[in-house]
Amino acid sequence: MADLPLQPGSMIGILGGGQLGRMLALAAGRLGFDVVVLEREADSPAGRVCAHTIVAAYDDAAALAALAAVADVVTYEFENVPAAAVASLVGMGVDVAPGPLALAVAQDRFEEKTFLNANGAPTVAFAAADSPEAAVDAVARIGAPALMKTRRDGYDGKGQRWVEHAADAARVFAELGSVPVIVEAPADFVRELSVIAARGRDGATAVYPLAENHHEHGILRRSLAPARAAPALTEQAERIAARILAGLDYVGVIGIELFELSDGRLLVNEIAPRVHNTGHWTQDGCEVDQFEQHIRAVAGWPLGPTRAIAQVEMLNLLGDEADTWSKLAAEPETRLHLYGKRAAKPGRKMGHVNKVRPL
C-alpha cells in the first residue's frame, strides 16, 4: 500500500482511457502527479495526455500486474470496469479508490436502489425480475406504466424500456435481452437535479452546489449550475450525499442524480462512483473542479473548496457539433473542452462547453 498523502511525482493509475480519464489525468498533472492508464485502445483520449499507457483488456492479468507494479494508487473513470479486475488489484496490495463496495453497488441497479433505501436515501418503488413471468408480476405489483431496465451495463438511456401495460412486460423483457431486470415506478418529478460530492481519506466531505439537468433521448444535453434552490432543498441533497458517502465508506468524487418532486422531496435516481458529466460545469464555475477534487481525495490530500465563482450553462457537444469549435472558441463567455476523440459518431460525446456568466 502507498504511503499517504501521495507526494508530487507519484504515479496514479486510471482504469479507462475515455474523456473522464483524460480530464482526471490533466488535473493530476497540474498537481504534479504522473498518470498511467490501463485502456483497451492504443490511441485513447486519456492515453495521449498520460505518462504511460498499458494497452490491454481491463481484466488482463499481466496488464493488471504491470499496473500494480507502477501505480501508487488506482482509480477508475467508469463504473462498468470489471469488479474482478479491482479485486485482483486489491489482492496485489494496490490501494483502489473508490473501493470495491461502491463499484459493486453501482454496477447492479437493483443492488444500488436496495443500498440507497437502506441508507436513508429515498428512491421510487422498484422490484427485480429474472424471467418473463417475474417481469409481468413485477409490473403488476409496481403498477403500469413502469420503467424496465437491465440490472447491469446500461448508460445514456440504453438498456431500458417503458412498459405501458402489465401484459407487455414479457415482450419488453425479451427486447432487453432476457437478462435480469429491475422494474421502477415512474417518478412524477418537476425537474432533474444532481449533486457532486466528495469524501477524503480522513472522512471529510465536500459538496458542490446543485445542478439542474436536461436530457434528450437519454443523453445529458445541458446542465445549469448553481441551480436555483431553496436552502431546504440544498440541505436535503447534502444529507442524502452524506448518507451515501458514509454508507459506502467512500473515497473520491461521486455523482448523485436526483428527482425533485412537486412537494419538494428529493428521490435518488442513480449514483455514479466517479466524476460525472453533470459536474463538468465545475471546471469553470468553482474554485476547485470535480477532477482535481477526485485526485486530491484518492491521493490523500485535503479536499478543496467547492464554492461557485460563476453561473455556468454546460452543453454537451455530440457528434459533429464539435466541428463548430472555431465559432465556439470565438465566444468570450464560452470555455471549450474537447476530448480528442478521433471519430465523431451521432450521439457520441466529443466535448462540452461551459458558458460562463457572473453570479
Side-chain angles (χ1 to χ4, degrees):
M1 302 294 281
D3 291 331
L4 298 170
L6 291 185
Q7 300 296 310
S10 300
M11 184 76 74
I12 294 177
I14 301 176
L15 294 170
Q19 68 263 21
L20 298 180
R22 181 185 181 98
M23 289 182 277
L24 283 170
L26 292 170
R30 279 201 315 275
L31 298 181
F33 296 112
D34 290 330
V35 172
V36 55
V37 165
L38 172 56
E39 163 59 34
R40 293 168 295 189
E41 304 295 330
D43 187 34
S44 69
R48 293 199 301 277
V49 300
C50 290
H52 305 286
T53 302
I54 300 170
V55 181
Y58 299 124
D59 57 358
D60 183 282
L64 290 170
L67 180 64
V70 296
D72 294 293
V73 299
V74 171
T75 188
Y76 41 87
E77 66 144 11
F78 69 115
E79 59 270 36
N80 288 326
V81 62
V86 172
S88 178
L89 288 169
V90 171
M92 288 184 276
V94 178
D95 192 326
V96 180
L101 176 59
L103 200 63
V105 167
Q107 285 186 345
D108 186 309
R109 285 167 161 151
F110 181 76
E111 296 297 333
E112 178 183 64
K113 281 190 164 51
T114 301
F115 163 83
L116 290 168
N117 284 193
N119 284 271
T123 69
V124 297
F126 63 96
D130 57 7
S131 68
E133 297 77 16
V136 172
D137 179 64
V139 173
R141 285 187 287 123
I142 294 296
L147 188 59
M148 187 181 296
K149 302 177 180 178
T150 57
R151 286 179 59 164
R152 292 180 173 270
D153 297 331
Y155 64 96
D156 284 347
K158 297 178 176 65
Q160 55 185 275
R161 299 276 194 285
W162 281 100
V163 183
E164 298 297 334
H165 307 282
D168 299 330
R171 173 182 56 79
V172 175
F173 180 81
E175 289 175 354
L176 290 174
S178 299
V179 296
V181 298
I182 181 173
V183 175
E184 299 177 1
D188 186 19
F189 60 88
V190 294
R191 60 175 175 167
E192 295 181 66
L193 299 169
S194 61
V195 62
I196 304 297
R199 186 171 183 266
R201 299 276 185 177
D202 59 357
T205 59
V207 182
Y208 288 90
L210 286 166
E212 178 179 325
N213 306 307
H214 299 266
H215 292 78
E216 293 177 8
H217 309 297
I219 300 174
L220 181 70
R221 286 300 284 169
R222 66 187 184 117
S223 294
L224 304 170
R228 292 183 179 178
L233 191 73
T234 298
E235 291 167 6
Q236 189 180 165
E238 290 176 349
R239 284 196 303 272
I240 288 171
R243 290 168 180 164
I244 293 171
L245 291 170
L248 293 172
D249 192 20
Y250 199 82
V251 173
V253 163
I254 192 169
I256 304 170
E257 297 182 13
L258 303 162
F259 294 132
E260 180 186 359
L261 307 185
S262 58
D263 62 5
R265 289 184 299 128
L266 290 174
L267 300 180
V268 179
N269 178 29
E270 62 183 31
I271 62 174
R274 52 171 171 81
V275 289
H276 198 252
N277 197 171
T278 65
H280 289 356
W281 72 274
T282 64
Q283 288 175 298
D284 300 293
C286 291
E287 292 177 299
V288 170
D289 68 47
Q290 66 165 345
F291 299 100
E292 179 180 331
Q293 194 78 284
H294 187 78
I295 296 299
R296 282 172 171 254
V298 301
W301 286 27
L303 299 181
T306 55
R307 184 178 69 89
I309 57 175
Q311 185 76 38
V312 178
E313 179 182 20
M314 189 284 300
L315 299 167
N316 274 328
L317 300 176
L318 306 179
D320 60 9
E321 292 172 354
D323 293 344
T324 62
W325 59 265
S326 180
K327 172 184 175 294
L328 294 168
E331 297 173 356
E333 77 281 6
T334 299
R335 308 292 177 264
L336 180 60
H337 301 264
L338 296 176
Y339 303 152
K341 295 180 179 179
R342 300 300 193 191
K345 301 175 184 176
R348 191 183 193 194
K349 294 173 183 174
M350 302 298 293
H352 68 272
V353 294
N354 286 329
K355 293 184 177 292
V356 180
R357 302 175 182 87
L359 280 173

